[in-house]
Amino acid sequence: MKLGINAYGKNAVNLSKIIRHADHHEFRQVSVSVQLSGDFDTAHTLGDNSQILPTDTQKNTVYVLAKEHFTGTIEEFGLYLAHYFVTRNPQISKARVAIEEHSWQRMSFDGQPHTHSFTGGTTEKRTTVVTQDAAGPVVVSGLKDLLLLKTTDSGFENFIKDEYTVLKETSDRILATQCEASWEYTATALDFEALYQQIRTSLLHTFSAHKSLSVQHTLYAIGEQILLDNDVVKEVSLVMPNKHHIPFNLEQFGLENKNEIFVATDAPFGYITGTVVRD
Amino acid sequence: MKLGINAYGKNAVNLSKIIRHADHHEFRQVSVSVQLSGDFDTAHTLGDNSQILPTDTQKNTVYVLAKEHFTGTIEEFGLYLAHYFVTRNPQISKARVAIEEHSWQRMSFDGQPHTHSFTGGTTEKRTTVVTQDAAGPVVVSGLKDLLLLKTTDSGFENFIKDEYTVLKETSDRILATQCEASWEYTATALDFEALYQQIRTSLLHTFSAHKSLSVQHTLYAIGEQILLDNDVVKEVSLVMPNKHHIPFNLEQFGLENKNEIFVATDAPFGYITGTVVRD
Amino acid sequence: MKLGINAYGKNAVNLSKIIRHADHHEFRQVSVSVQLSGDFDTAHTLGDNSQILPTDTQKNTVYVLAKEHFTGTIEEFGLYLAHYFVTRNPQISKARVAIEEHSWQRMSFDGQPHTHSFTGGTTEKRTTVVTQDAAGPVVVSGLKDLLLLKTTDSGFENFIKDEYTVLKETSDRILATQCEASWEYTATALDFEALYQQIRTSLLHTFSAHKSLSVQHTLYAIGEQILLDNDVVKEVSLVMPNKHHIPFNLEQFGLENKNEIFVATDAPFGYITGTVVRD
Amino acid sequence: MKLGINAYGKNAVNLSKIIRHADHHEFRQVSVSVQLSGDFDTAHTLGDNSQILPTDTQKNTVYVLAKEHFTGTIEEFGLYLAHYFVTRNPQISKARVAIEEHSWQRMSFDGQPHTHSFTGGTTEKRTTVVTQDAAGPVVVSGLKDLLLLKTTDSGFENFIKDEYTVLKETSDRILATQCEASWEYTATALDFEALYQQIRTSLLHTFSAHKSLSVQHTLYAIGEQILLDNDVVKEVSLVMPNKHHIPFNLEQFGLENKNEIFVATDAPFGYITGTVVRD
């Protein structure tokens, strides 16, 4: 027997930071997960911990380094952390740092932004996964739990019908998804903030403007548009579960459902995934 | 033995509606729960279902009536439903209809609102509970899962110290809560939309402007302000769990934590509840 | 304006304990929530914390007192805690201590129980709520998240049919629920362990033996049996959501569903609650 | 641009089955997820659905085929389903069928098993993933959400200490995990039921008997033992998050914590993963 693929680290390091400016405060909230790979065979086979940096220490490292180095994007902080772990520990061949950022919205009253009060943002999180090994760092950024919905310009027709098919074709349905997107950057010295806003806009704009013939069709269109708009993106992966909204059968009660009343269901759900790459 | 307090009904009736205007669509998503009370003793003691309106029928009723009657606020729809159940079923002495509305945000591009595409809103839900019995309907509206946070103007000092107290006094801490608020209206023919916006603004404004000496102190200030601002509100109940953000101990690593790096924790949590009433 | 009903305390104090016997270990895991009521008006209205025992101190108190006083049932520990808070703090008129215990099962190999290894138990938790005020302590014990299911001896017929009823009558369906039960004891010096086991058996036995004509019918039968079997129980409250298992429509594919293939659904769900009391 | 890796299917098909024997009933509950891969490029690029078997049809297929073919292990049902999808649809090059089975426990009274009543089992689920492509089917079975805990025979010492290390070495701690295990079989015509029981016993026995020097050490020991005991297992993968139980600091209150009172925490948590393979 021998050890195959393995990794260890600290997950769910929940960190909040107040950045204090002269006349207002910023508030940031992230969850950081560190996973380390390397020469850990004897830890497994012999219980030899001499090459093990405890996950508790990893956690402390995240909090300590956040003080000076979490001042900008999660990508920059992730790059710093991954570099830190790999360069200080020769036995670590690869560090993977995943960061999710929760959004907070500054309160406004009469058009004036408040200096230090916030409401919780949407379910959407901004994400990054920075991986660093001997080949250098790679940044894959994205978003998750972004709820998207359009009330028209979506259909599903001309599919296979077999003996177990009862689904009706429709040229007008609700399309809704809890979108997860990630994209690999070709470089690490980038304006991650501007790129994020630009890519997110490409995603939203394509979703809304596209005449969708299926989830797959929309998924590909979004990935293609992000690649067209952003040279520094190598590939785009999308996860688009189909959050079904099924028309309620009003006809059994003598009424017509003009595509207006729906049952929102959680399970079962269609699950569509795809990656769009450059030729 | 005999039957004491009892009720039954259908919970989590998840309903979506597209309201189709000439040039744009509205999208609404609610979860409706119906609970009926009345003369159901023999259902319990004898298994006599002759007075039982099945929960499946209650569910159908919600969907059917939504077609014509869910066109405005959840309060108006709740009033219609509660009245419907009570007036059609003499054995039902009380109907309780609870509705939660999920928020969706219309997409905008270059300042132009999109006609039919939306992103998911925040975790905040708008709520109402309409109860109707022989005394007539009562409307208790509110909100839940509203995340509130302020980075300063909050302290906690001068509390009791006993042999198990290690908490340090602080004049400057993060105050964060997942706020649930509900308020009872004194009437049922009201502009529920305008009132909701006004009350929510009172809540946010008080939270942000208040020099908080404790969660209790802020809770009361919010309730008091809502009552001062709104004659048609009889009383306000608030649930304000303390979402602790604990300063990370940087001092053990030779650094100073100038109230900037925090550990966000889920459990355990302080739980503060209170009702503010008129004299 | 003035303060109405209010309370505060620490929730979700997650505590584990190893009880070390000479030849084996016990392992206990509980979640404790403390809520205190009393003369806290000036804390709300003035921010005066001089009567406030911090929730952090409450948490510490739970951990410290567990060392000596959490040696038996959760009821005994709850009684000790509630008494402690009320008698040490004159401003506290009522303490409510709620405890949930998670179940762990000792591993066995070849019929031999292991001395110190355990697997997680079921979703079922044992619960107690001890309330103490000037009138003395009251113990309401129970269980929650107990999944119950029977594959026959359950029907639902002869219910009201109106214009929105499509549910078919059935004399043979699955009855499943995620049962929550609580019962108030008439005394506080009881063998809570033996009573719990006896009441739980009454509940399970009645559920399985009863010819159920509705959820209400079974709910009442369970409550009645617990009261018949246990003189020290004053009343029984039951929450029995209907975890629907809906026959899948095989007929549309030319097959007969002889009550064998079901769709398990989460929402919407019937929600049936009732209390059975002594005459 | 072009399409990279992609798949689609129906997730969370929740299916219950009563198997009716002459004198008792069996009750089974599973969640099935189907993912299909193949030649779906034009569905993405052109919105051409002519090669798309709708996820709704996939769901129906699961329910219909369960009637005759879900009579034994989830592995046998998964093999049947994967084979069905691949052989009926030439455009599908790979079908992945994942099944999770929830456990139910037959009630017993006075040592007699009840014929048709059940309580919910533990959080543990039995799992299988059957993948079929041109190379034939592969079965990877396992379990998840198995809570394991031992109160002694676990330590963590001799690890790296750097400037951010504060963790104390310990030779006696609680070791707890929410274990996920999966193992690849070398064949598909096996007694999956007997193998499952045998492998699960290897896992539990090794966990309890092992003198653990770290989570990694125990993880490897479990994987090694499963491979030693079972020739038909090719490799074993384990996910063992560290469910920390941290000793509560009683010393600050003048008491000694003899490894008896712990704080159970959810986040952050150590996350240890590894695969054990044959040489």
Side-chain angles (χ1 to χ4, degrees):
Chain A
M1 315 304 163
K2 64 178 183 186
L3 185 63
I5 291 171
N6 66 93
Y8 84 105
K10 200 67 143 194
N11 278 12
V13 178
N14 297 317
L15 182 157
S16 303
K17 184 171 186 182
I18 303 175
I19 303 177
R20 297 170 180 270
H21 300 283
D23 59 352
H24 72 285
H25 290 174
E26 281 180 79
F27 181 72
R28 310 283 300 273
Q29 187 172 17
V30 294
S31 178
V32 181
S33 294
V34 177
Q35 285 288 304
L36 306 177
S37 307
D39 183 9
F40 302 126
D41 285 32
T42 57
H44 281 82
T45 56
L46 302 177
D48 164 20
N49 294 323
S50 64
Q51 301 303 310
I52 296 292
L53 185 72
T55 65
D56 190 71
T57 303
Q58 297 173 32
K59 175 204 68 178
N60 293 339
T61 305
V62 170
Y63 284 112
V64 170
L65 298 184
K67 182 180 161 79
E68 288 214 8
H69 301 286
F70 180 34
T71 55
T73 62
I74 53 175
E75 285 85 356
E76 290 162 312
F77 187 40
L79 281 163
Y80 191 90
L81 285 169
H83 179 263
Y84 182 92
F85 286 117
V86 166
T87 55
R88 302 276 173 128
N89 294 278
Q91 80 283 18
I92 298 175
S93 56
K94 184 165 76 170
R96 179 187 189 277
V97 176
I99 307 180
E100 282 187 20
E101 180 158 13
H102 297 263
S103 64
W104 287 88
Q105 297 177 332
R106 189 177 296 279
M107 290 187 198
S108 275
F109 300 100
D110 302 324
Q112 294 299 311
H114 196 271
T115 53
H116 61 265
S117 295
F118 304 83
T119 53
T122 69
T123 56
E124 182 183 350
K125 287 99 173 175
R126 182 170 163 180
T127 64
T128 194
V129 176
V130 178
T131 311
Q132 178 158 355
D133 58 16
V138 173
V139 178
V140 177
S141 290
L143 52 81
K144 61 183 287 196
D145 297 332
L146 168 60
L147 292 168
L148 297 173
L149 182 144
K150 59 196 296 188
T151 55
T152 189
D153 279 352
S154 164
F156 187 50
E157 299 175 287
N158 305 317
F159 44 74
I160 295 173
K161 283 94 185 172
D162 72 9
E163 67 266 47
Y164 301 142
T165 304
V166 293
L167 186 72
K168 290 188 178 56
E169 301 197 323
T170 176
S171 60
D172 191 13
R173 63 171 184 174
I174 288 177
L175 179 61
T177 187
Q178 184 167 341
C179 188
E180 181 173 339
S182 58
W183 47 86
E184 184 176 333
Y185 287 115
T186 57
T188 58
L190 297 168
D191 183 346
F192 291 112
E193 181 62 29
L195 281 162
Y196 178 78
Q197 297 303 338
Q198 187 171 310
I199 290 168
R200 187 176 180 278
T201 299
S202 292
L203 190 163
L204 293 185
H205 191 264
T206 306
F207 177 84
S208 65
H210 189 245
K211 306 291 180 190
S212 173
L213 301 175
S214 69
V215 178
Q216 285 90 334
H217 190 215
T218 299
L219 181 153
Y220 186 82
I222 290 171
E224 187 181 39
Q225 193 63 45
I226 292 173
L227 290 174
L228 284 171
D229 291 348
N230 297 280
D231 286 348
V232 295
V233 174
K234 183 177 166 189
E235 63 179 45
V236 179
S237 292
L238 290 152
V239 179
M240 293 178 70
N242 198 339
K243 304 277 284 181
H244 304 292
H245 292 251
I246 301 168
F248 183 77
N249 180 0
L250 288 175
E251 286 69 19
Q252 61 188 332
F253 305 115
L255 295 169
E256 188 185 357
N257 189 346
K258 298 178 181 172
N259 244 350
E260 55 195 327
I261 303 292
F262 301 86
V263 184
T265 62
D266 278 335
F269 61 94
Y271 189 74
I272 292 89
T273 61
T275 298
V276 186
V277 300
R278 296 189 186 276
D279 279 318
Chain B
M1 315 302 162
K2 65 178 182 184
L3 185 62
I5 291 173
N6 67 94
Y8 84 105
K10 199 69 145 193
N11 277 12
V13 178
N14 297 317
L15 182 156
S16 303
K17 184 171 186 182
I18 303 175
I19 303 176
R20 296 170 180 271
H21 300 282
D23 59 353
H24 72 285
H25 289 175
E26 281 181 80
F27 181 74
R28 310 283 300 274
Q29 186 172 17
V30 293
S31 178
V32 181
S33 294
V34 177
Q35 286 289 304
L36 307 177
S37 306
D39 183 9
F40 302 126
D41 285 31
T42 57
H44 281 83
T45 56
L46 302 176
D48 164 21
N49 295 323
S50 63
Q51 302 304 310
I52 297 291
L53 185 71
T55 65
D56 189 72
T57 303
Q58 297 173 31
K59 174 204 68 176
N60 293 339
T61 304
V62 170
Y63 284 112
V64 170
L65 298 183
K67 182 180 161 79
E68 288 215 7
H69 301 286
F70 179 34
T71 55
T73 61
I74 53 176
E75 285 85 356
E76 290 162 311
F77 187 40
L79 282 162
Y80 191 89
L81 285 170
H83 179 263
Y84 183 93
F85 285 117
V86 166
T87 55
R88 302 275 173 128
N89 294 278
Q91 81 281 19
I92 298 175
S93 55
K94 184 165 76 170
R96 180 188 187 276
V97 177
I99 307 180
E100 282 188 21
E101 179 158 14
H102 298 263
S103 65
W104 288 88
Q105 297 177 331
R106 189 176 297 278
M107 290 187 199
S108 276
F109 300 100
D110 301 324
Q112 295 298 311
H114 196 272
T115 53
H116 61 265
S117 294
F118 303 84
T119 53
T122 68
T123 54
E124 182 184 349
K125 288 98 172 176
R126 183 170 162 180
T127 63
T128 195
V129 175
V130 178
T131 310
Q132 179 159 355
D133 59 16
V138 173
V139 178
V140 177
S141 290
L143 52 81
K144 61 184 285 196
D145 296 332
L146 167 61
L147 292 168
L148 297 173
L149 183 144
K150 59 195 296 186
T151 56
T152 189
D153 279 352
S154 164
F156 187 51
E157 299 174 288
N158 305 317
F159 44 76
I160 295 172
K161 284 94 184 172
D162 71 8
E163 67 265 49
Y164 300 142
T165 304
V166 293
L167 186 71
K168 290 187 176 57
E169 302 198 322
T170 176
S171 61
D172 191 13
R173 61 171 185 174
I174 289 178
L175 178 61
T177 187
Q178 184 167 340
C179 186
E180 181 173 340
S182 59
W183 48 85
E184 184 176 333
Y185 287 114
T186 55
T188 58
L190 297 168
D191 183 347
F192 291 112
E193 180 63 29
L195 281 163
Y196 178 78
Q197 297 303 337
Q198 188 171 310
I199 291 168
R200 186 177 181 277
T201 299
S202 293
L203 190 163
L204 294 185
H205 190 264
T206 306
F207 177 84
S208 64
H210 190 246
K211 307 292 180 189
S212 173
L213 300 175
S214 69
V215 178
Q216 285 91 333
H217 191 215
T218 299
L219 181 152
Y220 186 81
I222 290 172
E224 187 180 39
Q225 193 62 47
I226 292 173
L227 289 173
L228 284 171
D229 291 348
N230 297 279
D231 286 348
V232 294
V233 174
K234 183 178 166 189
E235 62 179 46
V236 179
S237 292
L238 289 151
V239 180
M240 293 179 70
N242 197 340
K243 305 277 283 182
H244 304 292
H245 292 252
I246 300 168
F248 183 78
N249 180 1
L250 288 174
E251 285 69 19
Q252 60 188 332
F253 306 114
L255 295 169
E256 187 185 357
N257 190 347
K258 298 178 182 173
N259 243 350
E260 55 195 328
I261 304 293
F262 301 85
V263 183
T265 62
D266 279 336
F269 60 95
Y271 189 75
I272 293 89
T273 61
T275 298
V276 186
V277 300
R278 296 187 186 278
D279 278 319
Chain C
M1 316 303 163
K2 64 177 183 185
L3 185 62
I5 290 172
N6 67 94
Y8 84 105
K10 200 67 142 193
N11 278 11
V13 178
N14 298 317
L15 182 156
S16 303
K17 185 171 186 181
I18 303 175
I19 303 176
R20 297 171 180 270
H21 300 283
D23 58 353
H24 72 284
H25 290 174
E26 280 181 80
F27 181 72
R28 310 283 301 272
Q29 187 172 17
V30 293
S31 179
V32 181
S33 294
V34 177
Q35 286 289 303
L36 306 177
S37 306
D39 182 8
F40 302 127
D41 285 33
T42 57
H44 281 84
T45 57
L46 302 176
D48 164 21
N49 295 323
S50 63
Q51 302 304 310
I52 296 292
L53 186 72
T55 65
D56 190 70
T57 302
Q58 297 173 30
K59 175 204 68 176
N60 293 339
T61 305
V62 171
Y63 284 113
V64 170
L65 298 184
K67 182 181 161 79
E68 289 215 6
H69 301 286
F70 179 34
T71 54
T73 61
I74 53 176
E75 284 86 356
E76 290 162 311
F77 187 41
L79 282 163
Y80 192 89
L81 285 169
H83 179 263
Y84 182 93
F85 285 117
V86 167
T87 54
R88 302 276 172 127
N89 293 278
Q91 82 281 17
I92 299 175
S93 56
K94 185 165 75 170
R96 179 188 188 275
V97 176
I99 307 180
E100 282 187 20
E101 179 157 14
H102 298 264
S103 65
W104 287 88
Q105 298 177 331
R106 189 177 297 277
M107 290 188 199
S108 275
F109 300 100
D110 302 323
Q112 294 299 312
H114 196 272
T115 53
H116 61 264
S117 295
F118 304 83
T119 53
T122 68
T123 54
E124 182 183 350
K125 287 99 172 173
R126 182 170 163 180
T127 63
T128 195
V129 176
V130 178
T131 311
Q132 179 159 356
D133 59 15
V138 173
V139 178
V140 177
S141 290
L143 52 81
K144 61 184 285 197
D145 297 333
L146 167 61
L147 292 168
L148 297 173
L149 183 144
K150 59 196 293 186
T151 55
T152 189
D153 279 351
S154 164
F156 188 50
E157 298 174 287
N158 305 317
F159 44 74
I160 295 172
K161 283 94 185 176
D162 71 9
E163 67 266 47
Y164 300 143
T165 302
V166 292
L167 186 71
K168 289 187 178 58
E169 302 197 322
T170 176
S171 61
D172 191 13
R173 63 172 184 174
I174 288 177
L175 178 62
T177 187
Q178 183 166 341
C179 187
E180 182 173 340
S182 59
W183 48 87
E184 183 176 334
Y185 287 114
T186 55
T188 58
L190 296 169
D191 183 346
F192 291 113
E193 181 62 30
L195 282 163
Y196 178 78
Q197 298 303 338
Q198 187 172 311
I199 291 168
R200 188 177 180 278
T201 299
S202 292
L203 191 163
L204 293 185
H205 190 265
T206 307
F207 178 83
S208 63
H210 189 245
K211 307 293 180 188
S212 173
L213 300 175
S214 68
V215 178
Q216 285 90 334
H217 191 215
T218 299
L219 182 153
Y220 186 82
I222 291 171
E224 187 181 40
Q225 192 64 45
I226 292 173
L227 290 174
L228 284 172
D229 292 348
N230 297 279
D231 285 349
V232 294
V233 174
K234 182 177 167 190
E235 63 179 46
V236 179
S237 292
L238 290 151
V239 180
M240 293 178 70
N242 198 339
K243 304 278 284 182
H244 304 293
H245 291 252
I246 301 168
F248 184 78
N249 179 0
L250 289 174
E251 286 69 21
Q252 62 187 329
F253 305 115
L255 295 169
E256 187 185 359
N257 191 346
K258 298 178 182 173
N259 244 348
E260 56 195 325
I261 303 293
F262 301 85
V263 184
T265 62
D266 278 337
F269 61 93
Y271 189 74
I272 292 88
T273 61
T275 298
V276 186
V277 300
R278 296 188 187 277
D279 277 318
Chain D
M1 316 302 161
K2 64 177 183 186
L3 185 62
I5 291 172
N6 67 94
Y8 84 105
K10 199 67 142 194
N11 277 11
V13 177
N14 297 318
L15 182 155
S16 303
K17 185 171 186 181
I18 303 175
I19 303 176
R20 297 170 180 271
H21 299 283
D23 59 352
H24 71 286
H25 289 175
E26 281 180 79
F27 182 73
R28 310 283 301 272
Q29 186 171 17
V30 293
S31 178
V32 181
S33 293
V34 177
Q35 285 289 302
L36 307 177
S37 306
D39 182 9
F40 302 126
D41 285 32
T42 57
H44 281 84
T45 57
L46 302 177
D48 165 20
N49 295 323
S50 63
Q51 301 304 309
I52 296 292
L53 186 72
T55 64
D56 189 71
T57 303
Q58 297 173 31
K59 175 205 68 178
N60 293 339
T61 304
V62 171
Y63 285 112
V64 170
L65 297 184
K67 182 181 161 77
E68 288 215 6
H69 300 286
F70 179 34
T71 55
T73 62
I74 54 176
E75 286 85 355
E76 290 163 311
F77 186 41
L79 281 163
Y80 191 90
L81 285 169
H83 179 263
Y84 183 93
F85 285 117
V86 167
T87 55
R88 303 274 172 128
N89 294 278
Q91 81 281 18
I92 298 175
S93 56
K94 186 165 76 171
R96 180 186 188 277
V97 176
I99 307 180
E100 282 188 19
E101 179 157 15
H102 298 263
S103 65
W104 287 88
Q105 296 177 332
R106 188 176 297 280
M107 290 186 198
S108 275
F109 299 99
D110 301 324
Q112 295 298 312
H114 196 271
T115 53
H116 61 264
S117 294
F118 304 84
T119 53
T122 68
T123 55
E124 182 183 350
K125 287 99 173 176
R126 182 169 163 181
T127 63
T128 195
V129 176
V130 179
T131 311
Q132 179 159 355
D133 59 15
V138 173
V139 177
V140 177
S141 290
L143 52 81
K144 62 184 285 197
D145 296 332
L146 168 61
L147 293 168
L148 297 174
L149 183 144
K150 60 196 294 187
T151 55
T152 189
D153 279 350
S154 164
F156 187 50
E157 299 175 287
N158 305 317
F159 44 75
I160 295 172
K161 283 93 185 173
D162 71 9
E163 67 267 47
Y164 300 142
T165 303
V166 293
L167 186 71
K168 289 187 177 58
E169 302 198 322
T170 176
S171 61
D172 191 13
R173 62 171 184 174
I174 288 178
L175 179 61
T177 187
Q178 185 167 342
C179 187
E180 181 173 341
S182 58
W183 47 87
E184 184 176 333
Y185 287 115
T186 56
T188 57
L190 296 169
D191 183 345
F192 291 113
E193 181 63 29
L195 282 162
Y196 178 78
Q197 298 303 339
Q198 187 172 310
I199 291 167
R200 186 176 181 279
T201 299
S202 292
L203 191 163
L204 293 185
H205 191 264
T206 306
F207 177 83
S208 63
H210 189 245
K211 306 293 180 188
S212 174
L213 300 175
S214 69
V215 178
Q216 285 90 334
H217 191 216
T218 299
L219 181 153
Y220 186 82
I222 291 171
E224 187 179 41
Q225 193 63 46
I226 292 173
L227 289 173
L228 284 171
D229 291 347
N230 296 281
D231 286 348
V232 295
V233 173
K234 183 178 165 188
E235 63 179 46
V236 179
S237 292
L238 290 151
V239 180
M240 293 178 70
N242 198 340
K243 304 278 283 182
H244 304 292
H245 292 252
I246 300 169
F248 184 78
N249 180 0
L250 289 174
E251 287 69 20
Q252 62 188 331
F253 305 114
L255 295 169
E256 187 185 359
N257 190 346
K258 299 178 181 173
N259 244 351
E260 54 196 326
I261 303 293
F262 301 86
V263 184
T265 62
D266 279 336
F269 61 93
Y271 189 74
I272 292 89
T273 61
T275 299
V276 186
V277 300
R278 296 188 186 277
D279 277 318

